[in-house]
Amino acid sequence: MKRLLRTRQKLGKYRIEGLLARGGFAEVYRAVDTIEGMRVALKIPFSHLVDKELISSFRKEVRITAKLDHPNVLPIKNAAFIDDHFVVASPLGERTLASRLKSRMSARLALELAEQMIEALAVAHRHKI
């Protein structure tokens, strides 16, 4: 499948650095916010799948996530149509959970990470998510 965006391509204020992941209905890119100077993840649904229902689903996801103001929940920086793409931008973390789990860690660190995940789930639960 052809990628939606290319490395170094500009998308509004974002400059694409590379593809992070591809799922069943969207691609996620590593990019730089050229105005704020920070790295972000851009989630962009495949254009051939974009319809009113998908946009409604993405908007719902954005609204739900915006309610979850907690240090262990990744916030959404922006959600907008940019150059005919529906784009959801989030701050880019240092590492993925998958990459952290591949390296050795102490039992204490493993428990700290588990506690952070449980706290995030509790916040979502309190918001009936």
Side-chain angles (χ1 to χ4, degrees), residues 9-25:
Q9 179 177 343
K10 290 277 298 224
L11 183 65
K13 68 178 186 168
Y14 304 107
R15 186 179 66 251
I16 305 302
E17 293 188 328
L19 181 69
L20 287 173
R22 175 179 284 135
F25 69 97

Side-chain angles (χ1 to χ4, degrees), residues 23-90:
F25 69 97
E27 289 181 334
V28 180
Y29 291 88
R30 182 180 58 251
V32 173
D33 180 324
T34 60
I35 294 174
E36 295 180 39
M38 65 183 295
R39 285 205 159 77
V40 295
L42 302 179
K43 184 176 183 180
I44 304 171
F46 296 120
S47 57
H48 69 279
L49 298 177
V50 175
D51 59 15
K52 287 183 181 181
E53 186 177 326
L54 181 74
I55 296 303
S56 176
S57 175
F58 262 70
R59 283 184 173 147
K60 183 177 179 181
E61 177 182 335
V62 168
R63 288 178 182 139
I64 288 170
T65 305
K67 293 178 186 177
L68 301 179
D69 183 23
H70 189 273
N72 297 334
V73 176
L74 190 63
I76 290 179
K77 286 183 49 50
N78 188 29
F81 281 96
I82 305 172
D83 300 339
D84 296 326
H85 296 285
F86 187 70
V87 179
V88 178
S90 300

Side-chain angles (χ1 to χ4, degrees), residues 70 119 121-129:
H70 189 273
E119 286 175 10
L121 286 171
V123 168
H125 183 72
R126 282 194 295 274
H127 284 87
K128 299 184 179 11
I129 298 168

Side-chain angles (χ1 to χ4, degrees), residues 70-113:
H70 189 273
N72 297 334
V73 176
L74 190 63
I76 290 179
K77 286 183 49 50
N78 188 29
F81 281 96
I82 305 172
D83 300 339
D84 296 326
H85 296 285
F86 187 70
V87 179
V88 178
S90 300
L92 187 62
E94 295 173 24
R95 294 172 59 192
T96 65
L97 178 60
S99 71
R100 286 181 183 211
L101 294 176
K102 288 179 184 174
S103 59
R104 294 176 63 86
M105 68 177 75
S106 68
R108 180 180 181 153
L109 178 57
L111 287 173
E112 286 175 13
L113 291 174

